[in-house]
DNA sequence: ATCAGAAGTGGTTCGGACAC
DNA sequence: GTGTCCGAACCACTTCTGAT
């Protein structure tokens, strides 16, 4: 029976960010040319190596379909063919159309600028195939909203670092991370977006180099802990 | 050293079980 | 009836393990 607990904001998260940034430098995420590509990438990358997402993206680009209206009018079967390299193609075509149709209903990216983040998030989560991580990736990387993307890598690293137990609900951890970093970001939305963007990318980098499922601790930038 | 097969990884939906 | 929790399923790829 998990006990009811509430994590208190900690300054260590900022220290971790600084250590990782010093070790790895800027990561230049997200590797996409437009918000639409970010959205497509966010769906296609679920359970899939980014290399395969790039192949699927190249197919869409080659077919001149990297356009919201065109994609929404494209039959699912055609999308399935093009995104095949990204795996889960049947499911992902359905998920993609679900979120793209939602975007179109909202009037496209330009119209979303005035929409509050909480409403955008709720709308995204209502789309088929969009869970918290995918929704937050879109909010941060496509719409530049100050939302931290919490993924399994982040959870694993923070658990090993001893800051969390690892089984906390997504929302609790996301808010805790955002609250922990807030004092260092001085309510500057652009700085917040920049740091959240970089921090998530740095966590991914650490998880792929040292904090893998089987840890490779020698040389880890956080090893002093 | 190389190969083949097994196991693990990843995010989400769905449906069943259970509590209120 | 409603809400919450949990496990199965989805699928391709990566990593690990054991045999040769």
């Amino acid at each position: 029976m998990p006990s009811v607990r509430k994590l208190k904001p900690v300054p260590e998260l900022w220290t971790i960010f600084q250590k990782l940034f010093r070790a790895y430098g800027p990561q230049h995420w997200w590797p996409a040319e437009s918000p639409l590509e970010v959205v497509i990438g966010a769906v296609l990358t679920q359970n899939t190596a980014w290399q395969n997402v790039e192949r699927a993206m190249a197919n869409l680009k080659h077919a001149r379909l990297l356009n919201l209206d065109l994609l929404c009018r494209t039959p699912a079967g055609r999308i399935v063919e093009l995104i095949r390299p990204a795996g889960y193609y049947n499911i992902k075509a359905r998920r993609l159309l679900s979120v793209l149709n939602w975007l179109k209903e909202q009037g496209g990216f330009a119209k979303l600028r005035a929409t509050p983040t909480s409403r955008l998030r709720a709308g995204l989560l209502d789309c088929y195939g969009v869970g918290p991580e995918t929704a937050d990736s879109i909010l941060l990387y496509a719409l530049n909203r100050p939302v931290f993307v919490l993924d399994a890598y982040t959870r694993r690293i923070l658990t090993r670092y001893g800051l969390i137990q690892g089984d906390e609900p997504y929302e609790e951890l996301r808010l805790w991370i955002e609250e922990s970093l807030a004092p260092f970001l001085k309510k500057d939305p652009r700085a917040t977006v920049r740091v959240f963007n970089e921090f998530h990318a740095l966590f991914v980098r650490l998880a792929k180099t040292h904090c893998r499922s089987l840890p490779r601790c020698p040389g880890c930038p956080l090893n002093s802990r």
Side-chain angles (χ1 to χ4, degrees), chain A residues 47 88 129 131 133-134 153:
Chain A
N47 328 329
Y88 301 76
E133 184 181 340
T134 306
Y153 292 147

Short mmCIF file of all heavy atoms in Angstrom, two decimals, chain A residues 47 88 129 131 133-134 153, chain B residues 8-14:
data_model
loop_
_atom_site.label_atom_id
_atom_site.label_comp_id
_atom_site.label_asym_id
_atom_site.label_seq_id
_atom_site.Cartn_x
_atom_site.Cartn_y
_atom_site.Cartn_z
N ASN A 47 8.04 4.39 -28.06
CA ASN A 47 8.61 3.03 -28.10
C ASN A 47 9.51 2.79 -29.30
O ASN A 47 9.59 1.68 -29.80
CB ASN A 47 7.52 1.94 -28.13
CG ASN A 47 6.28 2.30 -27.40
OD1 ASN A 47 6.35 3.05 -26.42
ND2 ASN A 47 5.16 1.81 -27.83
N TYR A 88 4.86 0.09 -35.06
CA TYR A 88 3.49 0.32 -34.53
C TYR A 88 2.67 1.14 -35.52
O TYR A 88 1.88 1.98 -35.13
CB TYR A 88 3.51 1.10 -33.22
CG TYR A 88 4.26 0.51 -32.08
CD1 TYR A 88 5.64 0.54 -32.04
CD2 TYR A 88 3.59 -0.10 -31.03
CE1 TYR A 88 6.34 -0.01 -31.00
CE2 TYR A 88 4.28 -0.64 -29.98
CZ TYR A 88 5.65 -0.60 -29.96
OH TYR A 88 6.33 -1.13 -28.91
N GLY A 129 -4.20 8.23 -28.02
CA GLY A 129 -2.78 7.95 -28.16
C GLY A 129 -1.86 9.00 -27.57
O GLY A 129 -0.65 8.89 -27.70
N GLY A 131 -0.59 10.50 -24.20
CA GLY A 131 -0.51 10.42 -22.74
C GLY A 131 0.25 11.62 -22.22
O GLY A 131 0.62 12.51 -23.01
N GLU A 133 3.36 12.14 -21.23
CA GLU A 133 4.70 12.42 -21.76
C GLU A 133 4.62 13.01 -23.17
O GLU A 133 5.30 14.00 -23.49
CB GLU A 133 5.55 11.15 -21.77
CG GLU A 133 6.96 11.48 -22.23
CD GLU A 133 7.88 10.26 -22.29
OE1 GLU A 133 7.58 9.24 -21.64
OE2 GLU A 133 8.89 10.34 -23.00
N THR A 134 3.78 12.43 -24.01
CA THR A 134 3.64 12.93 -25.38
C THR A 134 3.04 14.34 -25.36
O THR A 134 3.51 15.23 -26.07
CB THR A 134 2.75 11.98 -26.19
OG1 THR A 134 3.29 10.66 -26.09
CG2 THR A 134 2.69 12.39 -27.64
N TYR A 153 13.40 7.79 -18.31
CA TYR A 153 14.82 8.05 -18.04
C TYR A 153 14.95 8.96 -16.82
O TYR A 153 15.75 8.72 -15.91
CB TYR A 153 15.47 8.74 -19.23
CG TYR A 153 15.59 7.89 -20.46
CD1 TYR A 153 15.51 8.46 -21.73
CD2 TYR A 153 15.81 6.52 -20.38
CE1 TYR A 153 15.64 7.70 -22.88
CE2 TYR A 153 15.94 5.75 -21.52
CZ TYR A 153 15.86 6.35 -22.77
OH TYR A 153 15.98 5.59 -23.90
P DG B 8 13.71 -10.34 -18.97
OP1 DG B 8 14.25 -10.38 -17.60
OP2 DG B 8 12.29 -10.69 -19.23
"O5'" DG B 8 13.98 -8.88 -19.56
"C5'" DG B 8 15.34 -8.44 -19.67
"C4'" DG B 8 15.38 -7.07 -20.32
"O4'" DG B 8 15.05 -7.19 -21.73
"C3'" DG B 8 14.39 -6.06 -19.73
"O3'" DG B 8 15.10 -4.85 -19.53
"C2'" DG B 8 13.30 -5.92 -20.81
"C1'" DG B 8 14.10 -6.20 -22.08
N9 DG B 8 13.35 -6.73 -23.21
C8 DG B 8 12.52 -7.83 -23.21
N7 DG B 8 12.01 -8.08 -24.39
C5 DG B 8 12.52 -7.09 -25.21
C6 DG B 8 12.33 -6.84 -26.59
O6 DG B 8 11.63 -7.48 -27.40
N1 DG B 8 13.04 -5.73 -27.03
C2 DG B 8 13.85 -4.96 -26.23
N2 DG B 8 14.45 -3.92 -26.81
N3 DG B 8 14.04 -5.17 -24.93
C4 DG B 8 13.35 -6.25 -24.50
P DT B 9 14.41 -3.66 -18.72
OP1 DT B 9 15.48 -2.99 -17.96
OP2 DT B 9 13.18 -4.14 -18.07
"O5'" DT B 9 13.99 -2.70 -19.92
"C5'" DT B 9 15.00 -2.19 -20.80
"C4'" DT B 9 14.36 -1.35 -21.88
"O4'" DT B 9 13.71 -2.21 -22.83
"C3'" DT B 9 13.28 -0.38 -21.36
"O3'" DT B 9 13.75 0.93 -21.58
"C2'" DT B 9 12.03 -0.71 -22.18
"C1'" DT B 9 12.58 -1.53 -23.34
N1 DT B 9 11.69 -2.59 -23.90
C2 DT B 9 11.45 -2.61 -25.26
O2 DT B 9 11.90 -1.79 -26.02
N3 DT B 9 10.65 -3.65 -25.69
C4 DT B 9 10.08 -4.65 -24.90
O4 DT B 9 9.39 -5.51 -25.39
C5 DT B 9 10.37 -4.57 -23.48
C7 DT B 9 9.80 -5.57 -22.55
C6 DT B 9 11.15 -3.55 -23.05
P DG B 10 13.24 2.10 -20.65
OP1 DG B 10 14.31 3.10 -20.68
OP2 DG B 10 12.71 1.57 -19.37
"O5'" DG B 10 12.00 2.67 -21.47
"C5'" DG B 10 12.25 3.35 -22.70
"C4'" DG B 10 10.97 3.38 -23.50
"O4'" DG B 10 10.66 2.05 -23.95
"C3'" DG B 10 9.74 3.82 -22.69
"O3'" DG B 10 9.53 5.21 -22.83
"C2'" DG B 10 8.60 3.01 -23.31
"C1'" DG B 10 9.29 2.02 -24.23
N9 DG B 10 8.81 0.65 -24.07
C8 DG B 10 8.53 -0.02 -22.90
N7 DG B 10 8.08 -1.22 -23.07
C5 DG B 10 8.06 -1.37 -24.44
C6 DG B 10 7.65 -2.47 -25.25
O6 DG B 10 7.21 -3.57 -24.88
N1 DG B 10 7.79 -2.19 -26.60
C2 DG B 10 8.27 -1.02 -27.14
N2 DG B 10 8.33 -0.94 -28.46
N3 DG B 10 8.65 0.01 -26.40
C4 DG B 10 8.51 -0.23 -25.07
P DG B 11 8.48 5.91 -21.83
OP1 DG B 11 8.91 7.31 -21.73
OP2 DG B 11 8.31 5.09 -20.61
"O5'" DG B 11 7.11 5.86 -22.64
"C5'" DG B 11 7.02 6.59 -23.85
"C4'" DG B 11 5.60 6.58 -24.33
"O4'" DG B 11 5.20 5.22 -24.64
"C3'" DG B 11 4.58 7.09 -23.31
"O3'" DG B 11 3.61 7.85 -24.02
"C2'" DG B 11 3.99 5.82 -22.70
"C1'" DG B 11 4.08 4.83 -23.86
N9 DG B 11 4.31 3.45 -23.46
C8 DG B 11 5.14 2.99 -22.47
N7 DG B 11 5.15 1.68 -22.37
C5 DG B 11 4.29 1.25 -23.36
C6 DG B 11 3.90 -0.06 -23.74
O6 DG B 11 4.26 -1.13 -23.25
N1 DG B 11 3.01 -0.05 -24.79
C2 DG B 11 2.55 1.09 -25.42
N2 DG B 11 1.70 0.92 -26.41
N3 DG B 11 2.90 2.32 -25.07
C4 DG B 11 3.76 2.33 -24.04
P DT B 12 2.41 8.56 -23.33
OP1 DT B 12 2.19 9.82 -24.07
OP2 DT B 12 2.63 8.59 -21.89
"O5'" DT B 12 1.19 7.59 -23.62
"C5'" DT B 12 0.74 7.45 -24.96
"C4'" DT B 12 -0.16 6.25 -25.08
"O4'" DT B 12 0.52 5.08 -24.61
"C3'" DT B 12 -1.44 6.31 -24.25
"O3'" DT B 12 -2.49 6.78 -25.07
"C2'" DT B 12 -1.66 4.87 -23.81
"C1'" DT B 12 -0.47 4.10 -24.37
N1 DT B 12 0.08 3.10 -23.45
C2 DT B 12 -0.15 1.76 -23.70
O2 DT B 12 -0.79 1.38 -24.65
N3 DT B 12 0.41 0.89 -22.80
C4 DT B 12 1.15 1.22 -21.69
O4 DT B 12 1.59 0.34 -20.94
C5 DT B 12 1.35 2.63 -21.46
C7 DT B 12 2.14 3.09 -20.28
C6 DT B 12 0.82 3.49 -22.35
P DT B 13 -3.99 6.89 -24.54
OP1 DT B 13 -4.68 7.88 -25.37
OP2 DT B 13 -3.97 7.03 -23.09
"O5'" DT B 13 -4.60 5.45 -24.88
"C5'" DT B 13 -4.55 4.96 -26.22
"C4'" DT B 13 -5.16 3.57 -26.29
"O4'" DT B 13 -4.37 2.64 -25.52
"C3'" DT B 13 -6.59 3.49 -25.72
"O3'" DT B 13 -7.37 2.74 -26.63
"C2'" DT B 13 -6.42 2.77 -24.39
"C1'" DT B 13 -5.18 1.92 -24.62
N1 DT B 13 -4.35 1.63 -23.42
C2 DT B 13 -3.96 0.34 -23.16
O2 DT B 13 -4.28 -0.61 -23.84
N3 DT B 13 -3.17 0.19 -22.04
C4 DT B 13 -2.73 1.17 -21.19
O4 DT B 13 -2.02 0.91 -20.23
C5 DT B 13 -3.17 2.51 -21.52
C7 DT B 13 -2.76 3.65 -20.66
C6 DT B 13 -3.95 2.68 -22.60
P DC B 14 -8.98 2.73 -26.51
OP1 DC B 14 -9.52 2.62 -27.88
OP2 DC B 14 -9.43 3.80 -25.61
"O5'" DC B 14 -9.22 1.34 -25.77
"C5'" DC B 14 -8.67 0.15 -26.33
"C4'" DC B 14 -8.81 -0.97 -25.32
"O4'" DC B 14 -7.82 -0.81 -24.29
"C3'" DC B 14 -10.17 -1.00 -24.61
"O3'" DC B 14 -10.81 -2.23 -24.92
"C2'" DC B 14 -9.84 -0.89 -23.13
"C1'" DC B 14 -8.36 -1.25 -23.07
N1 DC B 14 -7.57 -0.59 -21.98
C2 DC B 14 -6.73 -1.37 -21.18
O2 DC B 14 -6.69 -2.59 -21.37
N3 DC B 14 -6.00 -0.76 -20.20
C4 DC B 14 -6.08 0.56 -20.04
N4 DC B 14 -5.34 1.10 -19.08
C5 DC B 14 -6.92 1.38 -20.86
C6 DC B 14 -7.65 0.76 -21.81
#
